[in-house]
Amino acid sequence: MRSVALFLALLLTAAIPRPAEALVVLGWHDIRDRIADGDPDADAVTTRNFAMQLDWLRAHGYVPVSAQAVRDARAGRGTLPPKAVLLTLDGGYRSAYTQALPLLRAFDYPALVAVPTSRVDASGATVRVGMRDVPRSAFLGWSDVKALQASGLVEVASQGHDLAMPVAGDPQGDLLPAAITRRWTGSGYETEAAQRERIRADLATSADRLERATGRRPQIVVWPVGGVSGAARAAADSVGLATIIGPDGRSGTSELHYAGVARPGDDAFPGARLVMVENAGASDLAYELRRDPRLDGIRVVRVSLDDIAAADATTTSSNVDALAERIRSIHPSHVILDATSADAAWFPTGAMSVRSDLLAHVAARIRARSGAKVLAWMPAAASPDAYADLANEPVDGIVVGDGADPTAALARAKAVRPDLVRVRAITVPAGDAAPIAAQMPSLASSYDFIVAMLPHDQRGSRREVDRAVATVAASPAALDRTVFVIDTGDTAHPIPADELEAQARRVVASGGRHVGYSRDIALKDLPPLEPARAAISARAFPYQER
């Protein structure tokens, strides 16, 4: 398994060739002289590997640039050199001063250091990071922050005051990213205005503390892992903090839009970071910068929450755990959850009736247990207000079903969450595929990805699979951004176990890159676990033990 992470939203879309003016953003967390075997901190990299990565960048013509140069390029005041790279360190670790700064001086490389100021303010023996208590000595002091800014090579950015700490995101108590989540108060969800004010106050506190320590007010915010909402972006704008770095996502599970690069003028989706984890070395960095993400296969499982919800909360909770464990065992790269049941929603919204506030909880459990990215399937005819409410859920994208034009609804959702992936589902009919072929160029240019549902009444036909793949392949670049979804039937008419694997292999043999199935019924082991895993697992062979 590669040990560099692309902390971005979805390995769903094809990469585009890196243009000359593209910016590669690289990120590190903690840098240490030694990392013991079994260390629980997957984000740490040794000083030796950090030095080797910087040396590799120099040897291969990459040109580290300052954050100011990136801002100037985005504002049209200058241009970036070919193979420009922005070096970033975040998390507030003291190693940015003790380990990274001496090497930055040796190479004469500029960098951006993002500081969550609550960690610098901490006075106890430990600081809470995720689910771990880390010694306070591992984090910067205010004198270190001041010295970094005064070095002439480092610009200090905000990472919020306490935004790195997750907040309660649903009635079930799941802890979700603070910058995208409307916090659950115990009696309801905070309003968008309250969310924006919470984030604004947090960012203002951070900016004030950094200005007092360094004499310079920060101009950039680097958002913590989890993405960023439109409300958070508005809050940052209101306190003068620009976003020039996009959200983070793991390699092998998610990569979207620009595959780790972005044109500096792209405000809607700024530069995505390639973040070092699991003690990545220079060879890992080289692999990630050179690989073609279009060759990475996406593997998708679609789930109906109708199959999980029960009449009582205890049984529902048990069913959610069973689903999350099954997804972990199958190990798809992505899971699609149906966001509605008939005309009722599985998420809080005033635009339609609500069956249960379950979507966020299931998404959080799947992500925590398996690392899979989660998308929500939404009817095309649902109102823009419903789409906007869905965008507040902890999902990575929205899959729009066949039907009405969802342009206005998706625009509302993107206003709430600019980083959401837009996916359009189409049904490939048996026989004449000319109508679908005619739609493909428009779909490929309008959506980040396409889900092509294979004919449910032609499951055994290899000819139909070949025809469906050929139909998509006739449109340039569409094949890289289309997942072919096999219909596995229902409890009354399940697909034969060997047929699922055969069809998945047929899709790939015909030239398809991405494949999935619909739907998975966890409580009835349909399709059976082993054939499902053989057909859809995103793990390299041999499979890891459960």
Side-chain angles (χ1 to χ4, degrees), residues 28 53 73 80 126 147 156 179 190 218-219 270 287 309 392 404 406 449 503 509:
W28 292 263
Q53 289 162 349
L80 295 178
T126 61
V156 174
E190 65 182 350
Q219 301 182 59
Y287 168 81
N392 285 302
F449 215 71
Q503 283 225 32

Side-chain angles (χ1 to χ4, degrees), residues 456-467:
H456 70 278
D457 55 349
Q458 298 286 331
R459 288 196 312 227
S461 172
R462 306 293 186 270
R463 180 180 301 173
E464 290 298 332
V465 173
D466 294 347
R467 184 187 54 78

Side-chain angles (χ1 to χ4, degrees), residues 350-417:
M352 58 194 303
S353 61
V354 177
R355 179 168 173 184
S356 176
D357 186 356
L358 188 59
L359 180 65
H361 177 53
V362 176
R365 294 306 297 271
I366 287 174
R367 186 179 286 110
R369 190 74 63 88
S370 69
K373 296 296 179 180
V374 179
L375 303 161
W377 184 291
M378 195 70 169
S383 73
D385 288 345
Y387 272 78
D389 290 334
L390 176 61
N392 285 302
E393 299 297 285
V395 295
D396 300 288
I398 297 177
V399 183
V400 183
D402 266 338
D405 182 1
T407 302
L410 281 175
R412 287 287 305 280
K414 291 282 281 186
V416 176
R417 283 274 307 286

